[in-house]
């Protein structure tokens, strides 16, 4: 059985230069599969973990999703229609994250990557996921790897379903709080101490000092002046303190009721410290003392009966090993890679996909690479064949439409007609399958901008509806702000621009939003708004993107502890050497007597 080498799945999303290729060796189409695709109400998971592990993960995520909707009901955005499903890869080896980004930070164990069509999630399976009996939910050890999955999903949930973009202290605390959730058969427990936070609290109990306070954590640069070991220790301390604050708020009914007030105040520009005081009656000047006392008195978990009687309905598909590896490459392409990474994938896929012409995942990944980073015309034959199938996916139909639009933009007059006709027909089919898809809405806006001097209200309304359904795409939010600006609804445009400006994950997008707001305030013509739309369409949507990293806090604490021990040992050696030098000097004075007096000054002329 021949092997396929799928290369160049590296190349940093944040790096400017092309990365050297890496290789994965996978079996051919007829090989035994190690990949599974699982689809449920809210997620599509592709994984090379065991099928039973994937089943338990999907069940956990669906229950977590329902729980998060309960906790954010007072301030979460109501979906405008059926939601697109969140695409996740659940990787059985953390090193596969190096094929998503070349510059993975130390202890990075989960990543959500923002792009035009929505976010792509890359999570890690660390060890077997055990079933937990209801009577053990509060006492059984929490699964460390699953806690990081829960943390990553909860953080992204805020970005996907709410308008919360600051302060980071609250976003991280919210994510850390739900990292401590456990689901049984009929019950669930919320608010347990996650393994990463527990690791830091144990570290501090050994006598290590604090470096942060809550006032500093709400500031623009909480780590200013903290370097090396102190800086690393401060970053894990930040997570632990954020968890304590979130537990204090979410663990009590009366404080939880203030969340909507807090979120609204921060969104409207209120200083976060003032918003905390207004919503929760917590003065940030006293927060360190109050929350330290709260944590020491016991952060009790809450036990609930699960309101979901049945297990989530999940559909499983067995994939060839080759298909799984190409799906990983395809998801990297969907996550806005750098130009060097995208072009490197195109070169590799051009060679490797040709070896397996019947592997659909290979041809889809190659077609996406050609549309985004090469010659869209070369992608047409396979995409057109795939689109002729009655059950063609919205993704295939939209990708074909985008290829046609790129080719139409290169020609004039009647030469555009066949491309535009095909794009129009396939976008209509894609909308029928996923009416609230951001990728479909953005392609529809591209079509409108290409075929007329000004878009009608329909493509703008579709962009707005897609953003109202899922809010985790920066490019989609940008298009929604411009659509509202063009339609004359400045307050709604301002709201979206304020969200983008507050989002610390994507500094370039935040700067663009602040600049556009200033231009709107000064008066912006529809022609200028159209220019902005065109600047952000097509290839402009491939640039940039935001990273949401989740870190292995247990590994971080071990690293900090090791470095602290090394620094202490180094300091002890230096102190011993200084003490020995002082002792040697004293002995020398005793045995040799005092040093001779200095010679008298020379008074000769």
């Amino acid at each position: 059985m021949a092997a396929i080498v799928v290369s160049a799945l590296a190349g940093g999303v944040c790096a400017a230069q092309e990365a050297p290729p890496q290789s994965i060796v996978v079996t051919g189409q007829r090989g035994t599969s190690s990949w599974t695709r699982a689809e449920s109400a809210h997620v599509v998971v592709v994984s090379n973990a065991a099928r039973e592990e994937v089943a338990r993960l999907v069940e956990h995520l669906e229950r977590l999703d329902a729980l998060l909707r309960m906790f954010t009901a007072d301030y979460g955005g109501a979906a405008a229609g059926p939601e697109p499903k969140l695409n996740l890869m659940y990787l059985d080896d953390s090193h596969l994250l190096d094929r998503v980004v070349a510059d993975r930070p130390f202890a990075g164990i989960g990543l959500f990557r923002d792009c035009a069509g929505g976010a792509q999630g890359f999570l890690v399976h660390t060890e077997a996921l055990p079933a937990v009996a209801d009577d053990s939910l509060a006492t059984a050890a929490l699964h460390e790897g699953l806690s990081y999955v829960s943390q990553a999903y909860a953080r992204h949930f805020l970005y996907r379903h709410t308008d919360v973009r600051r302060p980071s202290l609250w976003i991280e605390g919210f994510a850390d709080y739900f990292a401590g959730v456990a689901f049984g058969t009929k019950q669930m427990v919320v608010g347990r101490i996650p393994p990463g936070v527990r690791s830091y609290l144990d570290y501090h109990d050994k006598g290590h000092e604090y470096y942060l306070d809550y006032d500093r954590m709400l500031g623009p640069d909480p780590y200013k002046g903290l370097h090396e070991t102190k800086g690393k220790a401060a970053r894990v301390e930040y997570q632990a303190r954020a968890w304590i604050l979130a537990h204090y708020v979410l663990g009590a009914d009366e404080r939880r009721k203030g969340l909507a007030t807090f979120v609204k105040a921060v969104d409207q520009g209120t200083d976060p410290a003032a918003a905390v005081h207004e919503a929760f009656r917590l003065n940030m000047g006293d927060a360190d003392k109050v929350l330290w006392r709260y944590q020491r008195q016991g952060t009790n978990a809450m036990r609930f009966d699960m309101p979901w009687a049945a297990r989530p309905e999940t559909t499983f598909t067995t994939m060839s090993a080759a298909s799984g590896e190409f799906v990983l490459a395809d998801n990297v392409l969907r996550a806005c890679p750098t130009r060097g990474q995208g072009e490197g994938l195109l070169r590799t896929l051009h060679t490797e996909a040709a070896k397996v012409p019947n592997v659909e995942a290979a041809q889809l990944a190659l077609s996406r690479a050609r549309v985004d980073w090469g010659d869209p015309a070369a992608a047409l034959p396979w995409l057109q064949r795939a689109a002729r199938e009655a059950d063609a996916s919205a993704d295939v139909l939209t990708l074909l439409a985008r290829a046609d639009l790129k080719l139409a933009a290169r020609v004039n007059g009647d030469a555009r007609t066949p491309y535009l006709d095909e794009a129009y027909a396939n976008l209509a089919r894609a909308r029928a399958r996923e009416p609230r898809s951001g990728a479909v809405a953005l392609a529809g806006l591209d079509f409108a901008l290409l075929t007329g001097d000004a878009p009608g209200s329909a493509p703008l309304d579709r962009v707005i509806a897609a953003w109202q359904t899922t809010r985790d795409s920066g490019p989609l939010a940008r298009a929604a702000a411009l659509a509202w600006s063009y339609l004359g609804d400045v307050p709604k445009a301002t709201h979206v621009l304020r969200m983008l400006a507050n989002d610390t994950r994507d500094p370039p997008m935040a700067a663009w939003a602040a600049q556009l707001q200033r231009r709107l305030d000064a008066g912006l013509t529809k022609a200028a708004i159209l220019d902005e739309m065109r600047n952000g369409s097509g290839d402009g949507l491939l640039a940039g993107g935001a990273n949401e990293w989740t870190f292995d806090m247990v590994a971080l604490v071990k690293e900090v502890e090791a470095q602290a021990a090394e620094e202490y040992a180094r300091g002890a050696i230096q102190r011993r050497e200084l003490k020995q030098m002082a002792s040697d000097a004293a002995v020398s004075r005793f045995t040799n007597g005092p040093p001779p007096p200095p010679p008298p000054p020379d008074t000769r002329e």
Side-chain angles (χ1 to χ4, degrees):
M1 177 168 37
I4 302 167
V5 182
V6 182
S7 310
L9 295 187
V13 168
C14 298
Q17 71 278 2
E18 181 182 337
Q22 295 185 11
S23 300
I24 305 176
V25 178
V26 300
T27 58
Q29 174 69 11
R30 290 170 291 181
T32 302
S33 171
S34 61
W35 290 81
T36 300
R37 183 183 187 275
E39 183 171 353
S40 59
H42 298 99
V43 298
V44 175
V45 177
V46 175
S47 177
N48 59 341
R51 177 170 169 153
E52 57 270 21
E53 296 294 289
V54 180
R56 285 179 175 166
L57 171 82
V58 172
E59 182 174 328
H60 179 88
L61 291 180
E62 284 292 345
R63 288 175 168 173
L64 177 59
D65 189 278
L67 180 64
L68 293 169
R69 290 172 197 268
M70 290 171 53
F71 269 78
T72 59
D74 292 340
Y75 60 92
E83 298 175 14
K85 296 179 182 182
L86 183 60
N87 290 316
L88 301 171
M89 296 212 73
Y90 190 44
L91 305 171
D92 203 32
D93 182 349
S94 64
H95 292 95
L96 287 175
L97 287 173
D98 295 325
R99 303 191 178 279
V100 182
V101 290
D103 54 350
R104 177 166 66 110
F106 174 76
I109 200 166
L111 172 67
F112 276 91
R113 177 75 181 156
D114 172 30
C115 201
Q120 306 296 314
F122 302 89
L123 306 173
V124 176
H125 173 258
T126 57
E127 57 185 344
L129 304 178
V132 183
D134 286 340
D135 58 2
S136 301
L137 287 173
T139 56
L142 287 171
H143 189 285
E144 183 186 345
L146 193 58
S147 76
Y148 298 134
V149 167
S150 300
Q151 180 186 0
Y153 192 92
R155 182 192 297 110
H156 191 73
F157 185 93
L158 281 182
Y159 289 116
R160 186 170 175 84
H161 295 292
T162 80
D163 296 344
V164 176
R165 296 297 182 271
R166 73 179 189 128
S168 294
L169 173 62
W170 175 252
I171 293 171
E172 291 304 312
F174 180 93
D176 288 324
Y177 181 78
F178 288 100
V181 68
F183 298 105
T185 305
K186 297 180 179 179
Q187 293 185 320
M188 57 185 171
V189 168
V190 185
R192 291 188 61 187
I193 304 176
V197 172
R198 169 79 70 186
S199 181
Y200 174 78
L201 295 177
D202 291 345
Y203 165 80
H204 181 263
D205 286 346
K206 294 176 183 176
H208 297 283
E209 61 181 308
Y210 286 131
Y211 296 105
L212 302 176
D213 57 51
Y214 283 99
D215 259 339
R216 180 170 181 158
M217 290 167 70
L218 284 172
D221 186 4
Y223 308 116
K224 184 177 181 180
L226 298 173
H227 307 291
E228 303 298 332
T229 302
K230 289 183 179 180
K232 291 181 180 178
R235 281 168 169 77
V236 291
E237 178 186 340
Y238 188 104
Q239 295 292 330
R241 283 180 175 268
W243 173 81
I244 295 169
L245 174 62
H247 200 292
Y248 177 79
V249 172
L250 294 170
D253 286 341
E254 67 276 10
R255 289 190 286 269
R256 198 161 54 243
K257 291 174 183 175
L259 267 173
T261 301
F262 169 73
V263 168
K264 182 178 180 180
V266 171
D267 178 64
Q268 293 179 344
T270 302
D271 177 73
V276 167
H277 182 263
E278 177 186 353
F280 313 123
R281 295 290 173 251
L282 178 63
N283 187 327
M284 294 314 290
D286 301 327
D288 294 282
K289 185 187 303 181
V290 171
L291 295 177
W292 181 86
R293 189 183 306 120
Y294 173 80
Q295 188 261 325
R296 286 297 179 184
Q297 288 174 348
T299 47
N300 296 323
M302 298 183 291
R303 182 186 291 268
F304 301 99
D305 289 329
M306 282 194 292
W308 319 291
R311 286 188 167 182
E313 187 174 316
T314 307
T315 302
F316 292 90
T317 305
T318 300
M319 302 172 62
S320 72
S323 292
E325 302 292 354
F326 282 113
V327 169
L328 176 56
D330 192 42
N331 276 15
V332 172
L333 287 166
R334 295 173 69 166
C336 284
T338 61
R339 175 167 295 280
Q341 188 179 14
E343 292 176 349
L345 274 169
L346 171 61
R347 289 192 297 272
T348 298
L349 289 168
H350 179 74
T351 301
E352 303 303 332
K355 299 176 183 178
V356 282
N358 295 322
V359 175
E360 181 179 331
Q363 302 311 312
L364 178 59
L366 174 59
S367 297
R368 195 181 313 279
R370 284 170 166 168
V371 172
D372 288 343
W373 302 104
D375 179 11
L380 289 185
W382 185 86
L383 287 172
Q384 287 169 338
R385 284 196 301 272
R388 283 195 289 270
E389 298 294 330
D391 61 349
S393 69
D395 181 38
V396 165
L397 295 169
T398 305
L399 190 58
L400 176 54
R402 289 181 48 228
D404 281 321
L405 291 174
K406 284 194 168 190
L407 293 169
R410 298 176 181 179
V411 296
N412 297 305
D414 292 342
R416 286 186 168 189
T417 302
Y419 297 123
L420 294 177
D421 287 348
E422 186 172 62
Y424 181 84
N426 285 311
L427 285 173
R429 291 175 65 197
R431 277 196 297 273
R433 283 161 175 70
E434 292 190 14
R436 296 294 184 270
S437 162
V440 176
L442 288 170
L445 180 59
D446 284 353
F447 180 91
L449 292 170
L450 186 62
T451 57
D453 293 333
S457 62
L460 300 178
D461 289 341
R462 292 186 191 114
V463 164
I464 290 168
W467 177 82
Q468 288 174 324
T469 304
T470 52
R471 307 181 180 192
D472 53 348
S473 166
L476 183 60
R478 180 189 190 281
L482 289 168
W484 263 316
S485 300
Y486 189 83
L487 294 171
D489 198 333
V490 174
K492 289 181 179 176
T494 294
H495 172 70
V496 181
L497 289 172
R498 188 163 57 238
M499 286 175 59
L500 289 172
N502 287 338
D503 194 340
T504 58
R505 299 173 304 160
D506 192 347
M509 184 69 81
W512 173 87
Q515 181 188 49
L516 187 71
Q517 185 61 62
R518 289 191 294 270
R519 294 175 65 193
L520 279 176
D521 292 341
L524 202 58
T525 65
K526 283 196 170 186
I529 296 170
L530 281 178
D531 286 342
E532 281 294 332
M533 286 185 186
R534 292 190 174 97
N535 289 339
S537 66
D539 287 345
L541 295 175
L542 299 175
N547 286 335
E548 292 167 44
W549 278 106
T550 296
F551 292 94
D552 180 341
M553 277 189 61
V554 173
L556 281 172
V557 171
K558 287 179 180 177
E559 174 80 358
V560 167
E561 195 160 22
Q563 289 186 356
E566 183 180 334
E567 289 181 4
Y568 180 83
R570 200 160 48 235
I573 292 172
Q574 291 174 347
R575 288 190 296 272
R576 189 163 57 247
E577 289 175 346
L578 290 172
K579 185 176 180 181
Q580 185 63 48
M581 290 171 61
S583 175
D584 291 346
V587 170
S588 175
R589 285 194 300 272
F590 178 78
T591 56
N592 299 328
D602 188 352
T603 58
R604 291 174 296 177
E605 293 293 334

